[in-house]
Amino acid sequence: MKYAEISHFSHPKHNLKYDYTEKPFKCDGCNEVGIGSRYRCSSDHQSYDFDLHAHCALPSATITHPFYKKCKFQFLAKPPGNERRYCNACQKDVSGFVYHCSACGFDLHPCCAMLPKVLDDGETKLFLYRKVSSSCHRCGKKGRSWSYRSSCKKYNLHVACVREMLVENWRELYKGQSGKRIEGKSLALKNTLEHHHRSSSKGKVQKCCEIAGMAVQFVISAVLGDPTALIAGVVGSLISRG
């Protein structure tokens, strides 16, 4: 459910207003990058620059997840204990808001916990898996994190790899760097895919990269906490551009 304006325990001085942005922002709840839907401090004062993913702004007290059927995840404002913790979905550090299962010790970023099980634009379908046996088209490795896999089972992309790609690019995007520079960084994935399929014919490589571009659009949007984020389509089209 979307609200126009909310109050939030993490920012008691001002209300937060719903906003949509095509520029990357850092969520002050989970400390992860986001694009698209957010809740932002309603104050115009620069010192109150505060943003939350929609999933971080409107969390559930407890959730369950089909990948961990015996677990009950509780929303926490910070990771429990003093040890370094990581998200079981994307394998990245947890340093802020988190869903934690005290019985099993599993942790999920709020956006990772809410990743859609199926991404579908009417033409291409990607299914979320906890583990897959095929290698990732980004890193060429197996395992590691949750993955989105195409319905034909020929294309696989780690959620962790999408996060790494975002970390590589978001600072340039956030600082308003030129589109040309962004394109150069994003096209690194296309080169990775071509290297991964270097034994294939030119036509097959091109087709694979086109599929990769569409898939990355979906996964970037989902990982950022907004499956409809417009910027994801821009980044994805850059990746698939020949």
Side-chain angles (χ1 to χ4, degrees), residues 5 28 31 38-39 48-49 52 63-64 68 71 73 98 107 114 132 149 167 175 181 192 199 211 215 221 235:
E5 187 170 345
D28 290 288
N31 297 317
R38 65 178 174 179
Y39 281 89
Y48 292 114
D49 185 17
L52 292 177
I63 63 168
T64 57
Y68 307 99
C71 293
F73 291 89
V98 62
D107 298 286
M114 300 303 167
V132 294
R149 185 168 66 173
V167 170
K175 293 177 182 177
R181 187 175 180 183
T192 300
S199 61
I211 295 173
S221 297
V235 175

Side-chain angles (χ1 to χ4, degrees), residues 194 197 199-211:
E194 290 180 345
H197 290 278
S199 61
S200 302
S201 66
K202 184 177 180 180
K204 289 183 178 180
V205 170
Q206 183 177 359
K207 182 61 177 177
C208 175
C209 291
E210 289 174 357
I211 295 173

